[in-house]
Amino acid sequence: MKKICVLGLGYIGLPTAAMFATHGFKVLGVEIKKDVVEILNNGDVHIQEPGLKTLAQAALKSGNLIPSLKPDHSDVFIIAVPTPLLKEEKKGDLSYVISAAESIVPFLKPGNLVILESTSPPRTTMDILVPILERSGLEVSREGSESATSFYLAHCPERVLPGRILKELVHNDRVIGGADRAASQMARELYSSFVEGKIFLTDATTAEMVKLMENTYRDVNIALANEFSLVAEKVGINIWEAIEIANRHPRVNILKPGPGVGGHCIAVDPWFIVQAAPEVTPLIQMTRQVNDGMPAQVVRLVKRAVAEVERPVIACLGLTYKGDVDDIRESPAIRVIELLRAEGFGLQAYDPFVPMGAIPEQVSNIEAAISGADAVLILTDHSAFKELYLGDIDCPVIDTRDVL
Ligand code: SAJ
């Protein structure tokens, strides 16, 4: 049975490790956080994602997925660690990728395949990973340079949507960029064990750009929708209706405006393109500025709604970065709440997905959030909020997500 060592058991690493472990591979899942390894060894999961607990439990029970704090010899190494943004420099923080790569150097053997799944700035695979992995004394296999001391290297970026990770892991098309064709083909064979979508082979840097372009395209589209929403307010139209009708055109698909763009992907990845070529990316930089400016626009709407009220209390519904997930990383809802707090507003915040204690103003149910509020502010499009009955609310409602 082929061995795979997955480095990082987070939002991508754990589903990927569990998927391989239930499709005929022996998987060592490496995670540096002790508590995560403990949780998994107790048969539980640390991430809320539809279907993940069942899949991970099956993988763990079969003995084909073994959580570990350290890597070991393997046929394949898959790096699936975070690549966050260095906030000041607006550049990718590659420290996790680098230490994951360094941790496998002592175990790398000729013929092994190393795959980078983490979304990374252009040229990371060839310029950052290659020199680290070659410290093993082996050389990366490049076109025509294969030898008895070669290892293989490819970038295969994850492209799955939080909330639909397991479905998309199986059904999405994938892109694989090898340091050479042999690496691409080896990676294709591996992913074919569970991927039902098409698999496209290219080189590593193209694969890096493909992934970044996808998320940047979405960011630009959302910024356009956000800008349209500001214009709509000025010219006195309903933006949701206007977008719905515009999208009836066969070649138009405008995304939804909202309180900003959050999460660890769409608000981050465009900067990886900018860092590669700042002088030719004004549109991408402006996009980031527009979307990052949306929380302040929401605060402006709130201030207008409660202008007459002394010491107003705002019910904030939703903390996560988008609907029906539990993730508050880089959430625009949190940013809005921070701005409102700084303005001295009274706040009562509720999110059905976020355990108590995330922010000081959090309450444990929707009634407690709405009770005595001078305005209701909907910040996340959780399905549960769609049931909200407006007849029960006698104050202004600001619905930044068109939930109602
Ligand atoms: N958002 C809007 N308006 C919209 C759509 C989204 O304001 O019309 C906001 C969301 O509320 C959220 C943010 O954008 O705050 C991002 O949410 P998302 O659902 O667009 O994307 P993510 O970050 O959850 O996942 C994205 C996906 N990329 C694309 O759809 C191109 C996913 O496929 C990637 O795998 C993921 O990034 C990733 O890991 O890179």
Side-chain angles (χ1 to χ4, degrees):
M1 197 186 255
K2 235 186 181 169
K3 280 193 195 160
I4 303 179
C5 177
V6 176
L7 295 115
L9 293 179
Y11 280 83
I12 301 302
L14 180 59
T16 303
M19 203 58 103
F20 278 118
T22 49
H23 286 79
F25 296 90
K26 196 99 193 146
V27 181
L28 186 71
V30 179
E31 172 57 56
I32 54 170
K33 292 188 196 129
K34 266 196 193 134
D35 53 330
V36 169
V37 172
E38 265 165 38
I39 290 171
L40 293 170
N41 277 331
N42 290 334
D44 211 344
V45 290
H46 59 297
I47 290 165
Q48 298 260 4
E49 180 65 34
L52 180 60
K53 194 168 173 170
T54 313
L55 185 76
Q57 281 176 339
L60 292 160
K61 237 186 185 161
S62 70
N64 285 342
L65 172 59
I66 296 173
S68 163
L69 287 164
K70 281 197 214 115
D72 199 353
H73 292 285
S74 187
D75 301 302
V76 179
F77 295 89
I78 298 179
I79 300 175
V81 295
T83 44
L85 188 70
L86 292 167
K87 292 256 163 61
E88 294 292 308
E89 300 91 322
K90 302 284 187 213
K91 285 187 176 154
D93 174 0
L94 290 177
S95 56
Y96 300 98
V97 170
I98 290 170
S99 51
E102 285 171 345
S103 76
I104 60 183
V105 168
F107 303 103
L108 205 57
K109 283 196 177 147
N112 283 173
L113 171 65
V114 180
I115 296 172
L116 176 65
E117 277 220 21
S118 312
T119 307
S120 300
R123 301 213 57 83
T124 299
T125 309
M126 298 313 290
D127 292 355
I128 309 277
L129 278 192
V130 168
I132 295 174
L133 296 171
E134 287 189 340
R135 283 183 215 155
S136 61
L138 309 177
E139 311 94 48
V140 70
S141 175
R142 299 175 194 255
E143 221 57 72
S145 82
E146 237 168 306
S147 77
T149 54
S150 300
F151 68 94
Y152 299 88
L153 178 63
H155 180 48
C156 181
E158 61 86 7
R159 296 160 111 187
V160 289
L161 193 72
R164 294 175 46 88
I165 289 180
L166 294 187
K167 278 193 197 116
E168 294 206 356
L169 262 181
V170 173
H171 297 288
N172 282 7
D173 291 350
R174 292 213 65 146
V175 54
I176 293 173
D180 66 350
R181 252 170 297 170
S184 296
Q185 270 151 10
M186 286 167 84
R188 169 157 62 192
E189 201 180 309
L190 190 74
Y191 285 97
S192 299
S193 59
F194 66 83
V195 170
E196 289 176 20
K198 285 200 181 111
I199 299 179
F200 295 88
L201 304 189
T202 179
D203 62 88
T205 308
T206 304
E208 287 163 348
M209 270 303 281
V210 165
K211 166 61 198 250
L212 298 172
M213 283 159 51
E214 290 162 2
N215 280 358
T216 302
Y217 163 80
R218 199 158 168 82
D219 198 33
V220 172
N221 191 333
I222 296 168
L224 184 63
N226 280 332
E227 202 161 279
F228 284 154
S229 78
L230 301 177
V231 177
E233 196 189 333
K234 298 248 181 233
V235 301
I237 62 158
N238 179 325
I239 186 60
W240 308 105
E241 183 194 1
I243 289 178
E244 196 181 324
I245 299 171
N247 283 349
R248 303 296 300 188
H249 185 285
R251 284 175 295 282
V252 173
N253 184 21
I254 304 163
L255 289 170
K256 284 183 158 197
V261 168
H264 40 108
C265 311
I266 303 231
V268 168
D269 300 351
W271 288 116
F272 295 180
I273 296 188
V274 172
Q275 86 177 69
E279 60 295 346
V280 292
T281 47
L283 176 66
I284 302 174
Q285 296 177 51
M286 182 59 77
T287 288
R288 289 279 71 248
Q289 210 173 309
V290 169
N291 287 338
D292 283 348
M294 291 313 288
Q297 296 291 345
V298 175
V299 171
R300 184 178 54 78
L301 296 181
V302 174
K303 278 185 176 167
R304 194 172 62 191
V306 294
E308 309 291 309
V309 187
E310 223 176 288
R311 301 179 64 80
V313 173
I314 313 299
C316 300
L317 303 187
L319 297 175
T320 61
Y321 83 98
K322 66 174 187 176
D324 298 336
V325 299
D326 67 344
D327 194 345
I328 59 169
R329 286 179 294 173
E330 311 297 329
S331 171
I334 299 282
R335 184 72 194 125
V336 169
I337 287 169
E338 284 167 358
L339 293 175
L340 290 173
R341 187 189 294 142
E343 295 272 352
F345 284 89
L347 301 172
Q348 298 170 170
Y350 170 66
D351 192 303
F353 286 85
V354 181
M356 285 294 283
I359 57 162
E361 302 89 346
Q362 196 173 357
V363 295
S364 61
N365 59 69
I366 199 159
E367 289 77 18
I370 292 173
S371 155
D374 299 297
V376 172
L377 174 61
I378 301 177
L379 290 167
T380 306
D381 44 353
H382 291 313
S383 307
F385 294 160
K386 295 191 179 125
E387 314 295 314
L388 211 60
Y389 177 52
L390 283 181
D392 292 342
I393 300 171
D394 56 5
C395 64
V397 176
I398 302 157
D399 182 1
T400 68
R401 299 279 195 175
D402 195 26
V403 173
L404 302 176

